[in-house]
Amino acid sequence: MALNKVVANAEEACRGIQSGMTLMVGGFGLCGIPENSIAQLVKMGVINLTCISNNAGVDDFGLGLLLQKKQIRKMISSYVGENEEFERQMLSGELEVDLIPQGSLAERCRAGGAGIPAFFTPAGYGTEVGEGKEVRIFDGKPHILESALTADFAIVKAWKGDTAGNLIYKATARNFNPLMAMAGKTTIAEVEELVPNGQLDPNQIHTPGIFVQRIFQGKSYEKRIEQRTVRKA
Amino acid sequence: MALNKVVANAEEACRGIQSGMTLMVGGFGLCGIPENSIAQLVKMGVINLTCISNNAGVDDFGLGLLLQKKQIRKMISSYVGENEEFERQMLSGELEVDLIPQGSLAERCRAGGAGIPAFFTPAGYGTEVGEGKEVRIFDGKPHILESALTADFAIVKAWKGDTAGNLIYKATARNFNPLMAMAGKTTIAEVEELVPNGQLDPNQIHTPGIFVQRIFQGKSYEKRIEQRTVRKA
Amino acid sequence: MLDKNGIARRIAQELQDGYYVNLGIGIPTLVANYIPQGIDVEFQSENGILGMGPFPIEGNEDPDLINAGKQTITALPGAAYFDSAMSFAMIRGRHVQLTVLGAMEVSQNGDIANWKIPGKMVKGMGGAMDLVASAENIIVAMMHTNKAGESKILPECTLPLTGVGCVKKVVTELAVLEIKDGAFHLLERAPGVSVEQIIAATAGKLVVPEVVPEMNLLD
Amino acid sequence: MLDKNGIARRIAQELQDGYYVNLGIGIPTLVANYIPQGIDVEFQSENGILGMGPFPIEGNEDPDLINAGKQTITALPGAAYFDSAMSFAMIRGRHVQLTVLGAMEVSQNGDIANWKIPGKMVKGMGGAMDLVASAENIIVAMMHTNKAGESKILPECTLPLTGVGCVKKVVTELAVLEIKDGAFHLLERAPGVSVEQIIAATAGKLVVPEVVPEMNLLD
């Protein structure tokens, strides 16, 4: 009786994504990013995208691939270093950038999915992030009013998923993925392992399937490491 | 290096709870309630308590045990049926009752734990719940401003826990427990099974230990069923 | 005229394939027994489960697995458990496509009263205010009149409100009514019920089209 | 005068048993190498881990397990992973007892600037604004002056702010300063550093007590 959200591949999953749309893309740095869907967006050639994503990838991976093709018009992020093409487009004015404190970004995505249109947070008060925003004192401390974020499509990456769209993430690859999954009008989940319903423990689901409209098993995950750091054995 | 939150028993866990304090108590109906801690509160005889809990137990179980002893001055709940002593005290004016929509109660507890002092929600607009509250239109729809809830102590019940205070709940016994765990100045967790650090999968923790100050293994759980419903085999 | 099961059966016809559905206590709960052939839906219970199944077979009750009515239940394959904040995120965020609720009164602009009777013990609204304020699609399952024969389909609610302007459809023992433009629109008659009976039982503004079909209660 | 490791070592003395600690990128990261004997603390990284351990042994790197600096890390027994909203719930909700951050400038009323230099590429504030707005206890690890020898310990910040009135303590290569009542209070000198050197390097209002002890850098 559980619903079936399975689509064949990234091509089918991304159907309907159009130029000019707002997309949320999960991941922190290159960790937990929807590699297959990003490749498909490059293939589709959709342009003028507004991308809500904590970071903007590196020059030749992650959202950097879309930046290279000038498919992104606006980035809404908390940190966009490690990307020269991004810097060039930003300084030349080709790319619009909206920088948001990381916690506010996360909470605004959750709020968008949770039907909370706005909330107060202390982050950014007294800085340029707070400019033009309503200020209110709670418990002696100033807070600013932040609004919810939503997207036409949210694209997330999980470790395991079932046909009903339930998702389990791995380690810190979870990051923004569950929050963005909540906030997409349509949410696409790509997973490393797609299993039949009943194989995931219902007690251990990170994203309940109600938030996911399309799910597919991705392939050839590169999972590039941005800062490989090790110690001696 | 992980921190050790283990205390010996309910007596040690509840130390410092005083008359007049505000307590959050996890559970939905009689499902997922901290039975050992409630028994300890009865034993301690603290009075004039403000209890934030979705329900108020039944006459002879759950928070009903505290009501019988007239230890509760005020209940903040969403639904308080199934309890005659509660009804008597409420109608006689001995007990103050603040009724809050269930979703707002949950979100207000989460907000209290998450440093969000207030948020807008559509629930309760145009009803007596919305009276005196700020109204604002978002996307054409009126919302009311609700504030965060916190408590001197939050008392929650989990299925499994480790010495660092990480918690895993079982099935629908999760309910309000993770939210209240976030919102207590001091949070007490009683668990059915207490295990050493390293035995719980860090990927499957529902309440990270940072929210828990004291944890102990409860005993003799009755887990009473309120509405036993079955079908024929 | 319909009995409670009939009302549930008629409401079940409103289910669409792929819907997530929240069923209130009482008549709404019965809707789960009449899911049309070929339609897959998943039930959410606001205490924290998606993919709620039937009651357990005797002896298999799990005190840790209940629904919002505090009844022992089961979980179907593909189910998920979650906390109460997540549960109402689903509801407020409009991820649940259909909510079916009981009511004491409904008004012609879609107001609903179903939680409080002045002078009587108030048990609380539970999740009802969140549900009615949030759902895109709310169907009320109720009796057209009270025991004294007075209409509960009103110009304005007399009882304290649960939500304003939110109810889209009402299914009673007599009729299916759609609420729009400040009036009840009569869509269907229950088997054996005349338009005159419905008019007589409805205190709120009622728009009656020339032809009012009788309900087709599919199996 | 302290080197970077010396600054980290001094800050590590501020750790108390049972603390949850968030360490920023740069000098703050080094604090983890100097946890005093007998003190148990747990490190939070805002991308979603509590109980962060050391870097992995070569060959054991897991691309799915990184810290906020995007470095491969390990998890200790008792660790927990969570999403970014939960992570900042911990931070904003004041469950993290100590935050150690780098800064470009700090002012005598506790303002901090550490994210943006006008005219240069802006990379973003990441989690810094949430951290400084929320932490009860913020220690800044920084150099007292810039490369041109100009003080970064100022009456007012000149760069765009990250947060206002939030920094409680500053540890530099020269001194430990406490910020209160609109001034820097000199608490300790670095080994071999004179009060005069500190006065010369400090542009903000500096309160100097009669006796300024030299830091005791315990092992």
Side-chain angles (χ1 to χ4, degrees):
Chain A
M1 220 169 65
L3 309 178
N4 187 342
K5 315 290 181 67
V6 179
V7 295
N9 49 35
E11 191 180 341
E12 209 177 306
C14 290
R15 207 161 277 166
I17 297 182
Q18 290 168 20
S19 294
M21 279 188 167
T22 296
L23 311 182
M24 284 183 181
V25 183
F28 176 88
L30 302 179
C31 181
I33 60 172
E35 298 184 16
N36 284 257
S37 301
I38 291 171
Q40 175 60 21
L41 291 173
V42 171
K43 205 170 149 197
M44 290 166 77
V46 286
I47 56 167
N48 285 324
L49 298 173
T50 295
C51 286
I52 303 173
S53 187
N54 189 60
N55 312 91
V58 294
D59 276 300
D60 62 344
F61 204 57
L63 290 182
L65 298 171
L66 293 177
L67 286 163
Q68 271 184 3
K69 303 277 187 180
K70 303 189 181 171
Q71 293 177 263
I72 302 178
R73 187 187 62 78
K74 180 176 179 180
M75 279 297 311
I76 299 177
S77 303
S78 89
Y79 189 83
V80 293
E82 1 286 4
N83 195 320
E84 284 181 29
E85 175 60 17
F86 185 99
E87 185 166 347
R88 195 197 61 71
Q89 291 183 23
M90 182 172 161
L91 293 176
S92 73
E94 291 166 62
L95 181 67
E96 193 181 334
V97 180
D98 191 358
L99 292 170
I100 295 177
Q102 190 178 341
S104 297
L105 180 61
E107 191 69 14
R108 290 175 69 181
C109 292
R110 179 190 178 273
I116 301 289
F119 59 89
F120 284 96
T121 174
Y125 167 76
T127 76
E128 63 187 56
V129 166
E131 281 171 23
K133 289 178 181 155
E134 179 176 340
V135 175
R136 197 174 296 194
I137 311 283
F138 293 93
D139 205 13
K141 198 173 154 172
H143 292 71
I144 60 175
L145 187 66
E146 291 282 10
S147 60
L149 289 170
T150 57
D152 296 306
F153 282 83
I155 309 175
V156 304
K157 154 74 177 20
W159 181 34
K160 295 182 183 179
D162 67 17
T163 52
N166 294 302
L167 304 178
I168 296 176
Y169 307 91
K170 191 178 152 217
T172 58
R174 193 181 320 180
N175 54 66
F176 284 84
N177 284 298
L179 312 165
M180 292 180 168
M182 294 169 74
K185 287 192 194 78
T186 300
T187 291
I188 298 167
E190 58 174 82
V191 299
E192 291 178 55
E193 191 186 349
L194 183 60
V195 303
N197 285 337
Q199 291 200 8
L200 301 181
D201 180 351
N203 212 34
Q204 301 296 12
I205 303 299
H206 296 139
T207 293
I210 193 169
F211 296 116
V212 175
Q213 280 70 50
R214 305 174 189 172
I215 188 170
F216 70 98
Q217 182 163 318
K219 56 186 180 186
S220 316
Y221 282 103
E222 181 178 337
K223 292 197 182 186
R224 196 185 293 186
I225 292 176
E226 227 167 317
Q227 305 284 342
R228 187 178 301 273
T229 47
V230 295
R231 65 186 153 115
K232 299 267 179 281
Chain B
M1 221 169 65
L3 309 177
N4 188 342
K5 316 289 182 67
V6 179
V7 296
N9 49 35
E11 190 180 341
E12 210 178 304
C14 292
R15 208 161 276 167
I17 297 181
Q18 291 168 19
S19 295
M21 279 188 168
T22 295
L23 311 181
M24 285 184 181
V25 183
F28 177 89
L30 302 180
C31 183
I33 60 173
E35 299 183 15
N36 283 257
S37 300
I38 291 171
Q40 175 61 20
L41 290 173
V42 171
K43 206 170 149 196
M44 290 165 77
V46 285
I47 57 167
N48 284 324
L49 299 173
T50 294
C51 286
I52 304 173
S53 187
N54 189 58
N55 312 92
V58 295
D59 276 301
D60 62 345
F61 205 58
L63 290 182
L65 298 171
L66 293 177
L67 286 163
Q68 272 184 4
K69 302 277 186 178
K70 303 187 181 173
Q71 293 177 263
I72 302 177
R73 186 187 63 77
K74 180 176 179 179
M75 279 297 311
I76 299 177
S77 303
S78 89
Y79 189 83
V80 293
E82 2 286 3
N83 193 320
E84 284 182 27
E85 175 61 16
F86 184 100
E87 184 165 349
R88 195 197 61 69
Q89 290 183 23
M90 181 171 162
L91 294 175
S92 72
E94 293 167 60
L95 181 67
E96 193 181 334
V97 180
D98 191 358
L99 292 169
I100 296 178
Q102 191 178 341
S104 297
L105 180 61
E107 191 69 14
R108 290 175 70 181
C109 292
R110 177 190 178 275
I116 300 289
F119 59 88
F120 285 97
T121 175
Y125 167 76
T127 76
E128 63 187 57
V129 166
E131 281 171 23
K133 288 179 182 154
E134 179 177 339
V135 175
R136 196 173 298 193
I137 311 284
F138 293 93
D139 206 12
K141 199 173 154 174
H143 291 71
I144 60 175
L145 187 66
E146 290 282 10
S147 60
L149 289 170
T150 56
D152 295 306
F153 282 82
I155 308 174
V156 304
K157 155 73 177 22
W159 182 33
K160 295 180 183 179
D162 66 17
T163 52
N166 294 302
L167 304 177
I168 295 176
Y169 307 92
K170 192 179 150 214
T172 58
R174 194 180 320 181
N175 54 65
F176 283 84
N177 283 298
L179 313 165
M180 292 179 168
M182 294 169 73
K185 286 193 196 80
T186 299
T187 291
I188 298 166
E190 58 174 83
V191 299
E192 291 179 55
E193 191 185 349
L194 183 60
V195 303
N197 285 337
Q199 291 201 8
L200 300 181
D201 179 351
N203 212 34
Q204 301 297 11
I205 302 299
H206 296 139
T207 293
I210 194 170
F211 296 117
V212 175
Q213 280 70 48
R214 305 174 189 173
I215 188 169
F216 70 98
Q217 183 163 317
K219 56 186 183 188
S220 316
Y221 282 103
E222 180 178 337
K223 291 197 183 185
R224 197 185 292 186
I225 291 175
E226 225 167 318
Q227 304 284 341
R228 188 178 301 271
T229 47
V230 295
R231 65 187 153 112
K232 298 268 178 279
Chain C
M1 200 174 303
L2 301 177
D3 61 6
K4 289 181 177 184
N5 282 297
I7 293 173
R9 224 166 119 189
R10 176 59 192 82
I11 290 173
Q13 292 176 27
E14 303 286 317
L15 298 174
Q16 292 182 24
D17 195 38
Y19 265 14
Y20 289 93
V21 181
N22 183 295
L23 299 177
I25 296 169
I27 301 177
T29 303
L30 301 172
V31 172
N33 300 331
Y34 300 100
I35 304 168
Q37 288 280 335
I39 298 272
D40 280 339
V41 299
E42 220 173 292
F43 293 108
Q44 197 248 22
S45 193
E46 67 268 25
N47 59 313
I49 177 175
L50 202 64
M52 179 167 50
F55 297 136
I57 289 169
E58 195 159 356
N60 289 349
E61 308 94 306
D62 179 351
D64 290 324
L65 183 48
I66 64 172
N67 64 16
K70 286 146 197 163
Q71 297 171 307
T72 43
I73 54 162
T74 56
L76 297 174
Y81 306 127
F82 37 84
D83 67 47
S84 302
M86 178 61 109
S87 182
F88 284 90
M90 293 174 188
I91 290 166
R92 266 193 323 263
R94 305 193 159 206
H95 304 280
V96 175
Q97 277 89 5
L98 177 64
T99 293
V100 185
L101 281 170
M104 300 168 183
E105 296 177 346
V106 171
S107 82
Q108 62 201 26
N109 73 337
D111 295 352
I112 176 172
N114 73 349
W115 78 285
K116 185 175 181 177
I117 301 176
K120 285 206 181 174
M121 166 67 184
V122 181
K123 294 189 171 182
M125 68 293 281
M129 282 194 186
D130 306 274
L131 281 159
V132 300
S134 309
E136 290 205 62
N137 194 359
I138 299 175
I139 300 181
V140 166
M142 66 188 293
M143 302 311 281
H144 219 101
T145 55
N146 64 18
K147 283 170 191 165
E150 297 163 339
S151 182
K152 295 157 71 176
I153 310 292
L154 301 171
E156 275 185 34
C157 291
T158 64
L159 296 172
L161 295 182
T162 309
V164 296
C166 51
V167 178
K168 302 281 183 286
K169 219 171 242 187
V170 181
V171 179
T172 74
E173 78 281 20
L174 301 181
V176 178
L177 305 169
E178 188 184 2
I179 300 177
K180 60 176 181 188
D181 306 328
F184 296 99
H185 295 252
L186 180 55
L187 297 188
E188 299 172 19
R189 297 173 292 119
V193 172
S194 70
V195 169
E196 289 66 34
Q197 276 177 282
I198 295 165
I199 291 172
T202 304
K205 184 173 172 189
L206 184 69
V207 176
V208 183
E210 276 191 35
V211 180
V212 181
E214 192 173 286
M215 292 177 200
N216 182 8
L217 290 172
L218 306 163
D219 273 328
Chain D
M1 199 175 302
L2 301 177
D3 61 4
K4 290 182 177 183
N5 282 298
I7 294 174
R9 224 166 119 189
R10 176 59 191 82
I11 291 173
Q13 292 177 27
E14 303 287 316
L15 298 174
Q16 291 183 23
D17 195 38
Y19 266 14
Y20 288 94
V21 181
N22 183 295
L23 300 178
I25 295 169
I27 301 176
T29 304
L30 302 172
V31 172
N33 300 332
Y34 300 100
I35 306 168
Q37 288 279 335
I39 297 273
D40 280 340
V41 299
E42 221 174 291
F43 293 107
Q44 197 248 23
S45 193
E46 66 267 26
N47 59 312
I49 177 175
L50 203 63
M52 180 167 49
F55 297 137
I57 288 168
E58 196 160 354
N60 287 351
E61 307 93 305
D62 179 351
D64 290 324
L65 183 49
I66 63 171
N67 65 15
K70 287 145 195 161
Q71 298 171 307
T72 44
I73 53 162
T74 56
L76 297 173
Y81 306 126
F82 36 83
D83 67 47
S84 302
M86 178 61 108
S87 180
F88 284 90
M90 293 174 188
I91 290 166
R92 265 193 324 264
R94 306 195 160 205
H95 304 281
V96 175
Q97 277 90 5
L98 176 65
T99 293
V100 185
L101 279 171
M104 300 169 183
E105 296 177 347
V106 171
S107 82
Q108 63 200 27
N109 74 335
D111 296 354
I112 176 171
N114 73 350
W115 78 284
K116 185 175 181 177
I117 301 176
K120 286 206 181 175
M121 166 66 185
V122 181
K123 295 189 170 182
M125 68 293 281
M129 283 194 185
D130 306 274
L131 281 159
V132 301
S134 308
E136 291 205 63
N137 194 0
I138 299 175
I139 299 181
V140 166
M142 67 188 292
M143 302 311 281
H144 219 99
T145 56
N146 64 19
K147 284 170 191 165
E150 296 162 340
S151 182
K152 295 157 71 176
I153 309 293
L154 302 170
E156 274 186 34
C157 291
T158 65
L159 297 171
L161 295 182
T162 309
V164 297
C166 51
V167 179
K168 303 279 183 287
K169 218 172 243 187
V170 182
V171 179
T172 74
E173 78 280 20
L174 303 180
V176 178
L177 305 169
E178 187 182 2
I179 300 178
K180 60 177 182 188
D181 307 328
F184 296 99
H185 295 252
L186 180 55
L187 297 189
E188 298 172 20
R189 296 173 292 119
V193 172
S194 69
V195 168
E196 289 65 35
Q197 276 178 284
I198 296 165
I199 291 172
T202 304
K205 184 174 171 188
L206 184 69
V207 177
V208 183
E210 274 189 38
V211 181
V212 181
E214 192 174 286
M215 291 178 201
N216 182 8
L217 289 173
L218 306 162
D219 272 328

